[in-house]
Amino acid sequence: RPATFRVDVSALLAKLGEKKESLKFMKRRIQRLGPQWAAAARHLDRQLGDQGREQKRILVHMGFLAISSGDGFSSMVLKGGPLGEMVQWADILTALYILGHRVQVSVTIRHLQRILGKPYARRSCPASGFLPFDLIYTDYHGLDQIEEYRGISLRTHKCRIRVIDTFGTEPAYNNKEYAFKHGYRSSWGHRKLDSKQYMTMFPHTPDNSFMGFVVDELNETEKLDISRNKINNMTVVYGKEISMWERKEHFFKVLHRHMEIHGTVYSTDHPYVVPAFVHNHGLLSQKDLQQLLKKAKLFIGFGFPYEGPAPLEAVANGCIFLQPKFHPPHSSLNHIFFHGKPTSRELTSQHPYMEKHIGRPHVMTVNFSNLQEFEETIQEIMRTKVEPYLPFEYTCEGMLERVHAYIQHQDFCAPIDPFPLATIPSPFILLSNSERFTWDPDVKAPPSWPPLRSLQALISQPGHSCITACEGIGMVCEPTFFRFINNKQAFDTLKVPCKVLEGEVNHIFPAVKRQLLCSVQKDPRLFSCAGLSAGYQRLCPCRDARHGQVALCQDCL
Ligand code: U2F
C-alpha cells in the first residue's frame, strides 16, 4: 500500500491521551508546528515526484514514559526537568505520521501489551513469528520493556527496531563480551544491533543514524521584525532548573555590567542563586520562550544542560549563543553525567554541534575560567550583528527528508552478502591526488545505500578516527562502506606495503600500524567510524553529503 503525505495532524493528536504532562507538552508542540510540517510535506511531495513510497506499520513505544519508577519525566515537565526528549519524540511522531505511515503509539506497559499481546497470548502473536509492525521506534527502556513484559525475545524481530538514543551508542559498546574485555563498560549498549539502528539527537557519530528534531522556521516578515526589535543589551540564561544557576555569581556580576539578564528558571525561592537583578520569567511555554529569544541578543550557557535543543532555537531567533569551552573535554571517562553511557565521545564544549557545525558569529565558544576573556566576548557580542540562522537539517523539511530516506532505504533485515575479500580485478580506482580511491565506475557496484559511487577511501593520520579523517577532506565517514574496503586490495590501492595482513576482532580495524602491520575486521558489528588508537592509521570510508543535511549523501534521496 502506498504512503501518501498528510497535512493535518488532528488525527495524530487524538492518538495521544491527556493523562500525562509529557503528552500534553508534545501535543501543544505538534499542534503549534502543524502548519510548518504541512508546508514541508507539500514541498517534499513535489520534490520526490512519482517516487513510490510504501506505507509501513509503525509502533512508537516511548519506554522512558512507561518506566515503572513513576514516569519521572512527566512529573518534571512543569518543574524545569528535561524537555529535550519530549521535543524529539513529538517530532518523530509527527514526521512518521506526516510521511503517511500507520502509526500506533504506546506510553504504558499495559498499552504495549494490548498492542503486542501479553506473553501468554502466544498463538495470536508467537514469539518467533508474526509481528504486526514493520518498524518499532523505542528507546533503551522500551527495549527492556518489550522483552520483559511481553516475555519474548526480540532476537527474531530485532532488525525492525530503531532505538532513539539521545547521546548515541558507539560500536565498541554494542557487544557485551567485547566491551567488557576491552574496557568499554556501560550501563546500556550490548544489544548487538547494527549501529545505524541507534538514532541520535544530534549528528554525534556517523556510526549511528542522526534522527534530530525540528526548530521553528521564520518567514521573511518575522526575520525583519527580529532585526527591528532586537534589544542589544538583553541576555537570556540557558537553564530552566535551579542547579544550572548555582555558583555562577561572578559571571552574572560581569554580565550585568553590560547587559540586562533574563531567565526562565522554574524555581522562584532561591534568592541567593538567582540574583535580584535577574528578570526571571519562570518556566515558559515553548511559544513564549521563542518570543523572548526574538528580543534577546545573547543566549548564554554555563556548561549544563549538555546538547539540548534550546541553543538552536536561540540562534534560529537571531541570538548569539555563548558557551564554555571544556578543557579537558567532558566524556564518560571523567564526567558523572556521561558515566555509563555507551560512548567515549569527548565534548569540547557544552554543545559541540553548535561549536563545530555552526560556529562564529552565531556561536562563540570561549574559556570561561578567564573572566577577562569572558567580558571581552560579551563586549564583542554587543558589537556583532547576526541574522537568524537555522541549519536545513533542523527544519521540518530537513527532518522529513531524512526520515523518509531512512524508512525507504535502511534495511537491517535483509541478509548481508559477505563481500569477497579479494575480487580480481580490483574494483577500486585511485583519484588524481593518489591518496584516496573510489569505486571504479566501470565495475558493476553491488547494491548499497548510500550508493557506492559516493565512496572515497583514505588512510588516516596515526591516532585519528575515521570521523576526523573524513572531516579533514570535507566528507563524512560512512560505516556502511567498511565492508567493501575491508580487504587487501584497498590497502594495495593506497600503496600501503602490508608485510602482514591479519583478520582480527577489534573496532579500530581495518587499520595499519607503522605502514607494515595491516589488519582487517572480522566482526562486521564492530565497524566503527569513531574508533581510534595511538599508533594506528585507520582505513576510512568517506562519502559526500547533501548541503545542510549531513546524514544523507548527495544521491541518497
Ligand atoms: C537537554 O534537555 P533540556 O530539556 O534540558 O534541553 P533544553 O535545551 O533546555 O530545552 C528543551 C526544550 O525546552 C523548552 C525549549 C526546548 O525546546 O523550547 N523550554 C521551554 O519550553 N520553556 C522554557 O522556559 C525553557 C525551555 C537535552 F535535550 C536532553 O537530551 C538531555 O538529557 C539534557 C541534559 O543534558 O539536556
Side-chain angles (χ1 to χ4, degrees):
R1 204 172 147 176
T4 46
F5 281 97
R6 300 188 178 105
V7 290
D8 178 1
V9 291
S10 29
L12 173 63
L13 293 172
K15 287 177 199 271
L16 301 171
E18 284 287 348
K19 286 200 188 111
K20 293 173 189 264
E21 256 339 300
S22 44
L23 293 179
K24 288 190 207 159
F25 175 89
M26 288 187 213
K27 285 174 83 166
R28 283 194 294 276
R29 178 172 176 83
I30 294 172
Q31 200 150 29
R32 184 169 60 82
L33 288 166
Q36 294 207 12
W37 283 108
R42 289 192 192 96
H43 199 255
L44 184 61
D45 194 8
R46 278 199 299 278
Q47 198 193 334
L48 294 178
D50 48 14
Q51 246 187 59
R53 295 187 305 114
E54 196 188 318
Q55 188 184 51
K56 305 279 184 191
R57 298 158 304 164
I58 299 179
L59 171 63
V60 176
H61 174 63
M62 291 176 255
F64 75 112
L65 294 181
I67 24 184
S68 46
S69 57
D71 183 8
F73 275 87
S74 285
S75 60
M76 291 303 288
V77 165
L78 301 175
K79 297 181 184 166
L83 296 176
E85 281 74 6
M86 256 78 82
V87 164
Q88 190 183 28
W89 278 105
D91 296 350
I92 292 170
L93 274 171
T94 322
L96 297 173
Y97 181 80
I98 291 271
L99 285 168
H101 299 294
R102 274 165 65 190
V103 182
Q104 278 217 47
V105 188
S106 116
V107 287
T108 61
I109 306 292
R110 216 189 296 161
H111 195 190
L112 179 73
Q113 291 185 327
R114 235 190 358 253
I115 295 173
L116 286 179
K118 285 189 180 172
Y120 53 80
R122 289 280 160 97
R123 235 177 314 152
S124 59
C125 195
S128 56
F130 179 68
L131 180 76
F133 295 99
D134 302 302
L135 290 167
I136 299 179
Y137 287 75
T138 188
D139 51 19
Y140 270 122
H141 296 292
L143 275 182
D144 287 341
Q145 292 156 0
I146 293 172
E147 273 185 323
E148 191 178 334
Y149 294 98
R150 208 185 155 232
I152 60 157
S153 159
L154 271 178
R155 203 170 308 154
T156 326
H157 303 298
K158 81 176 183 188
C159 61
R160 305 189 199 189
I161 298 278
R162 305 291 181 267
V163 183
I164 304 304
D165 173 16
T166 308
F167 298 99
T169 297
E170 288 176 359
Y173 295 82
N174 203 3
N175 172 332
K176 192 169 187 173
E177 296 77 51
Y178 180 83
F180 276 52
K181 197 165 151 206
H182 292 81
Y184 296 100
R185 284 170 181 264
S186 70
S187 322
W188 311 93
H190 315 153
R191 300 299 180 141
K192 293 189 182 172
L193 299 177
D194 187 301
S195 295
K196 284 277 184 192
Q197 286 174 265
Y198 300 101
M199 305 189 127
T200 55
M201 190 136 163
F202 287 90
H204 299 311
T205 165
D207 292 311
N208 302 146
S209 299
F210 159 49
M211 169 56 81
F213 58 94
V214 306
V215 172
D216 291 64
E217 215 177 338
L218 304 179
N219 60 33
E220 292 311 313
T221 326
E222 286 168 319
K223 285 186 190 165
L224 206 65
D225 285 349
I226 285 186
S227 76
R228 280 200 201 116
N229 302 329
K230 270 278 166 220
I231 302 173
N232 201 42
N233 69 342
M234 175 174 166
T235 292
V236 176
V237 173
Y238 184 15
K240 48 188 154 42
E241 215 263 317
I242 193 71
S243 62
M244 299 165 186
W245 289 65
E246 277 163 3
R247 292 180 298 280
K248 306 292 177 313
E249 304 79 3
H250 50 303
F251 294 117
F252 293 137
K253 237 196 231 161
V254 175
L255 196 53
H256 186 51
R257 279 209 284 270
H258 304 277
M259 301 187 96
E260 194 179 275
I261 307 177
H262 293 246
T264 66
V265 62
Y266 157 69
S267 176
T268 47
D269 47 359
H270 290 80
Y272 301 112
V273 181
V274 180
F277 53 73
V278 171
H279 303 258
N280 185 21
H281 301 256
L283 192 71
L284 295 177
S285 69
Q286 286 205 299
K287 193 171 164 209
D288 291 341
L289 178 69
Q290 311 287 320
Q291 294 310 320
L292 193 68
L293 292 171
K294 281 188 170 64
K295 284 192 261 161
K297 177 70 181 282
L298 169 63
F299 189 62
I300 185 169
F302 288 105
F304 195 80
Y306 296 115
E307 306 186 308
L312 265 180
E313 295 168 350
V315 168
N317 282 297
C319 299
I320 291 176
F321 176 52
L322 174 60
Q323 61 165 351
K325 194 179 267 178
F326 292 156
H327 186 72
H330 294 189
S331 73
S332 50
L333 291 179
N334 64 6
H335 237 268
I336 185 79
F337 179 85
F338 285 102
H339 189 72
K341 294 201 166 42
T343 171
S344 314
R345 189 166 58 89
E346 296 191 320
L347 279 79
T348 49
S349 59
Q350 181 173 359
H351 209 310
Y353 177 88
M354 301 298 291
E355 179 189 359
K356 292 181 182 147
H357 290 244
I358 302 183
R360 281 175 171 261
H362 305 279
V363 179
M364 306 227 185
T365 305
V366 303
N367 178 3
F368 274 30
S369 55
N370 181 340
L371 269 191
Q372 192 186 337
E373 189 180 340
F374 178 77
E375 183 156 21
E376 282 165 10
T377 311
I378 305 287
Q379 289 164 319
E380 183 188 344
I381 288 170
M382 293 179 74
R383 289 191 305 269
T384 310
K385 197 168 166 21
V386 291
E387 299 293 322
Y389 175 71
L390 177 61
F392 175 72
E393 57 203 6
Y394 281 97
T395 62
C396 291
E397 192 178 346
M399 183 160 178
L400 274 187
E401 184 181 276
R402 194 164 61 242
V403 177
H404 150 75
Y406 291 155
I407 291 182
Q408 298 307 310
H409 299 290
Q410 284 185 330
D411 182 357
F412 304 107
C413 295
I416 298 178
D417 287 337
F419 186 69
L421 280 190
T423 321
I424 295 171
S426 165
F428 307 128
I429 183 164
L430 261 189
L431 292 167
S432 53
N433 63 13
S434 78
E435 283 171 0
R436 300 179 218 163
F437 68 75
T438 186
W439 192 269
D440 184 344
D442 292 335
V443 177
K444 188 169 179 288
S448 157
W449 189 82
L452 266 164
R453 58 184 172 276
S454 67
L455 164 75
Q456 289 197 21
L458 49 70
I459 296 280
S460 77
Q461 295 294 318
H464 283 193
S465 71
C466 287
I467 299 179
T468 310
C470 293
E471 277 173 6
I473 57 163
M475 298 186 92
V476 182
C477 176
E478 179 47 69
T480 318
F481 290 158
F482 269 117
R483 70 190 183 98
F484 300 110
I485 65 160
N486 185 40
N487 49 45
K488 183 165 187 309
Q489 284 168 326
F491 286 112
D492 286 348
T493 312
L494 292 170
K495 310 228 169 11
V496 180
C498 301
K499 270 260 163 60
V500 178
L501 181 80
E502 285 176 344
E504 281 196 43
V505 175
N506 191 312
H507 73 287
I508 60 163
F509 296 145
V512 52
K513 193 169 190 178
R514 289 193 300 275
Q515 289 282 306
L516 298 171
L517 303 173
C518 297
S519 307
V520 290
Q521 177 60 258
K522 274 173 72 178
D523 179 355
R525 289 271 181 266
L526 284 174
F527 282 137
S528 165
C529 290
L532 56 85
S533 178
Y536 280 91
Q537 291 180 269
R538 306 278 325 267
L539 175 57
C540 301
C542 312
R543 64 158 167 82
D544 54 28
R546 290 171 77 80
H547 183 68
Q549 180 73 285
V550 74
L552 302 181
C553 74
Q554 277 166 22
D555 287 344
C556 272
L557 262 196

